[in-house]
Amino acid sequence: MRESSGTGLILGIESSCDETAAAVVRSGTTPLSNVVASQMSLHANYGGVVPELASREHLRNMVPVVREAMSRASAAAGHPITFADLDAVAVTEGPGLAGALLVGITYAKALTFGLNKPLIAVNNLEGHIHAVLMEARQRSETPMELPLLALVVSGGHTHLYLAKQQGTENTWTYRNVGRTVDDAAGEAYDKVAKLLGLGYPGGPWIDALAPHGNPRAVPFTFGEIKPRIHRDGSVPANKKAPTRSEGPHFDFSFSGIKTAVLRYVETNHLRAAIEGHRAAIAADPAITPKSPAVAKLCDQQTLDLIASFQYAVVGNLQRQTFAAAESLGARSIVVSGGVAANSELRRRFQAEADRRGLPIAFPSLALSTDNAAMMAAAAWPKLLAHNFAPEDLGATPQLRLGQQ
Ligand code: KG4
């Protein structure tokens, strides 16, 4: 039997993609430290995350990041916190890049084995939901009313979950009630930004430029999402699309709008202008999404295209999320993941939630992207329920959350 210390302290470890992260969180509510070593600038050279480079960087960063998290936790607590004081170690089991996940899992397994402490496996998507719940608890708000509908929207995911707590141990359960059938929303942002000669990741560039354009200039539309079918009417077997639970589903598709942007660029002969942005950004590192110079980067037609793209994507996310909330009787809404940082998304979701009288919460910008505090927070109810990982825990790159 592995030993907890009764301190409520969980060390979280996250390495599912391009961030090496460690955090110490007390009782699922109070982060004493939250350290993130981002590899973004490394991968920016390639326009996307390179899995082998990510694993190598995690190997390099894991030990210093954990040390830093322990040392900052001690400073925050005002007394030394050692590994012996931990109640458990939580680690991301998936979804994510296999090699990247394995670095965190192997480290966490070795640490808990050596310390004789429990290991808790956490789904990264569950972590994103708990980032928001943890911050709501910190603000001492009344708990988000259940069931809650969570939109997890990032570079790799666009999922809607109906979440509730059940049983005497208040175990969290999730039902996937919507997902993208092709690209994730963040992936569409990244691909469209690349197509328009902007930097990586694309979300912050489009977010910064969209307010300078006319969102109604290009009328992008989203059609109904139908499953792909064979001529004889049968549905093709698809490992990525498991059989689904009964009840309505609220799916997304973002590959069509990406193609529509490409077509608009070609029909309107925008290539030369786009190569101009690409060259300007490459030549001047001072041009960033946050710099005032960014507004002068693009001509008006490109700005209108960017604004229209964002207006359509956010509108689609908003329509599906609120339709799901209404149909499924959700009593509050949580939006998380990298795209939850988007300013137009926050503004429009907040306005719609206010109109409907639904409580809504977003993570702080620091907790929108991958971090380990959210993993330690999600692990807290599992610690209370003694829901520990097996000793042979492995990485599950396609790990799903809850009932599909
Ligand atoms: O959650 P995250 O950090 O990583 C994973 O995808 O796992 O999300 C990154 C994604 C990228 O696609 C990025 O372009 C997008 O989040 N993103 C944004 C914004 N900031 C980051 N998308 C729209 N607006 C933003 N402000």
Side-chain angles (χ1 to χ4, degrees), residues 121-195:
V122 183
N123 185 312
N124 176 272
L125 298 164
E126 185 176 18
H128 277 294
I129 297 170
H130 282 265
V132 185
L133 299 177
M134 174 177 72
E135 291 191 312
R137 281 196 295 277
Q138 278 170 328
R139 293 189 298 263
S140 332
E141 283 167 7
T142 44
M144 302 289 292
E145 284 192 54
L146 303 181
L148 69 80
L149 184 74
L151 170 66
V152 183
V153 61
S154 68
H157 305 281
T158 307
H159 287 294
L160 280 170
Y161 295 100
L162 194 68
K164 32 178 117 157
Q165 282 186 292
Q166 279 178 336
T168 44
E169 285 169 332
N170 279 337
T171 308
W172 280 90
T173 60
Y174 306 90
R175 182 152 75 87
N176 181 248
V177 294
R179 61 182 174 223
T180 178
V181 297
D182 41 52
D183 291 353
E187 196 179 348
Y189 266 95
D190 294 339
K191 287 178 177 169
V192 165
K194 191 171 180 182
L195 177 68

Side-chain angles (χ1 to χ4, degrees), residues 14 16-19 40 49 95-96 124 128 152-157 184-191 193 199-208 309-310 314 336-345 365 367-371 374:
E14 146 68 32
S16 62
C17 191
D18 60 344
E19 267 105 14
M40 204 180 292
V49 178
N124 176 272
H128 277 294
V152 183
V153 61
S154 68
H157 305 281
E187 196 179 348
Y189 266 95
D190 294 339
K191 287 178 177 169
Y200 172 85
W205 289 90
I206 291 180
D207 196 358
F309 164 79
Q310 174 157 291
V314 171
S336 65
V339 181
N342 186 267
S343 30
E344 181 172 339
L345 181 147
L365 292 187
L367 293 197
S368 305
T369 52
D370 284 333
N371 65 86
M374 68 184 193

Side-chain angles (χ1 to χ4, degrees), residues 76-93:
H79 56 80
I81 290 178
T82 67
F83 286 140
D85 298 316
L86 298 175
D87 259 354
V89 175
V91 69
T92 309
E93 178 187 9

Side-chain angles (χ1 to χ4, degrees), residues 256-273:
I257 192 163
K258 185 190 62 190
T259 312
V261 171
L262 175 63
R263 249 190 234 127
Y264 185 91
V265 164
E266 276 162 6
T267 323
N268 290 275
H269 311 290
L270 297 182
R271 284 263 175 227

Side-chain angles (χ1 to χ4, degrees), residues 304-317:
D304 289 348
L305 176 62
I306 289 169
S308 303
F309 164 79
Q310 174 157 291
Y311 182 75
V313 169
V314 171
N316 186 244
L317 289 168

